[in-house]
Amino acid sequence: MARTLFSLTVASILLAATLAGCASTGEVARAEEPEAPVDLSYGGLMPGTTVNWMDVGGGYDSRFMNIVVARGPDFTIFYDPDYAEYALEDEDPAAAYGVEYSGIVYYTCSEDPLPDAAEREAIASLKEMAPGEVLDLPGLGVSVTVGKDGQSNINGLGDISLRKYVVYWGGEEAAESETVSVAKEYDTTVKVEWAEGPPSVVVGVAMTEAAKPLSLHHASALGNCAALVE
């Protein structure tokens, strides 16, 4: 979204054992990638959906939109048309795209590294963890603390259940944080509370009736996210 440009074991049986210990220790080690990320009933938005955001407070309100261009077993790729329109000529076009894993952790498609398959499995497991539990991904320099549940109503989504997560970026010593509220029914972030500045909130969603295929234009500009849809 227009967020601030915002070893595990090989076998899934061993991964499950590792994650059971991670809830208390937060230790996740990077190793060989498993065959595929675990799909914990991922409910991401369908391609073609438009998500309307607003930065609220701070003496001004600004609006922007994201368009869903691709979805996988545990991720959704968004396109920011305003960023693409006003980007400088020497800017990476992939920075107009972002990938959200399990509705919680977000990267622009120009960033490197993106989570590997094992780390994506760990991120997907967060929705089954209890409030207060912590997941550390040292290979990415990311730590996530599970927060409390809540409820909301958003135009286009209706009544939704929320789960908060506090995402710490940059490791313990240089961590920057953001608190994301995730719509549990859709596995997508609908509010971001920044460490500084006004929060960003979803004010409306225009759902597509049928998933739109990834266009050649978008596919050619996805940068590091291209491997997700190949």
Side-chain angles (χ1 to χ4, degrees), residues 2 4 9 14 21-22 25 43 45 51 56 62 66 95-96 99 102 104 121 131 148 151 171 187 201 206 213 225 229:
T4 303
T9 52
L14 294 178
C22 290
T25 66
L45 300 172
V51 182
V56 296
S62 63
N66 287 154
V99 55
S102 298
I104 304 168
E121 287 194 83
K148 296 181 179 180
Q151 293 182 323
D187 287 329
V201 298
C225 293
V229 295

Side-chain angles (χ1 to χ4, degrees), residues 179-196:
T179 300
V180 298
S181 296
V182 176
K184 295 167 72 174
E185 294 87 348
Y186 297 95
D187 287 329
T188 191
T189 290
V190 295
K191 182 177 181 179
V192 184
E193 299 169 80
W194 309 104
E196 297 181 3

Side-chain angles (χ1 to χ4, degrees), residues 1 26 71 88 124 199:
M1 312 170 176
R71 167 183 154 170
L88 300 177

Side-chain angles (χ1 to χ4, degrees), residues 157-218:
L157 297 182
D159 294 325
I160 54 174
S161 302
L162 300 178
R163 167 67 66 90
K164 285 192 173 185
Y165 300 89
V166 183
V167 183
Y168 297 92
W169 301 91
E172 294 183 2
E173 306 211 351
E176 296 182 4
S177 67
E178 61 191 50
T179 300
V180 298
S181 296
V182 176
K184 295 167 72 174
E185 294 87 348
Y186 297 95
D187 287 329
T188 191
T189 290
V190 295
K191 182 177 181 179
V192 184
E193 299 169 80
W194 309 104
E196 297 181 3
S200 300
V201 298
V202 172
V203 294
V205 177
M207 304 280 279
T208 184
E209 294 183 1
K212 294 185 178 181
L214 181 64
S215 70
L216 292 177
H217 170 75
H218 290 310

Side-chain angles (χ1 to χ4, degrees), residues 18 23 41 65 68 70 81 88 91 99 101 112 115 117 119 129 158 164 169 178 180 197 203 208 212 220:
T18 302
S41 301
M65 74 167 62
V68 179
L88 300 177
E91 291 190 67
V99 55
Y101 294 99
D112 186 37
E119 288 160 338
M129 294 169 64
K164 285 192 173 185
W169 301 91
E178 61 191 50
V180 298
V203 294
T208 184
K212 294 185 178 181
S220 65

Side-chain angles (χ1 to χ4, degrees), residues 3 11 13 19 27 35 39 44 46 48 62 89 94 97 100 108 118 152-154 169 174 182 194 202 210 212 225 228:
R3 305 187 192 173
I13 294 178
L19 292 177
E27 293 294 330
E35 292 182 0
D39 180 2
M46 286 292 181
S62 63
E89 290 186 4
Y97 298 83
E100 185 181 70
T108 60
S152 186
N153 181 283
I154 295 176
W169 301 91
V182 176
W194 309 104
V202 172
K212 294 185 178 181
C225 293
L228 295 171

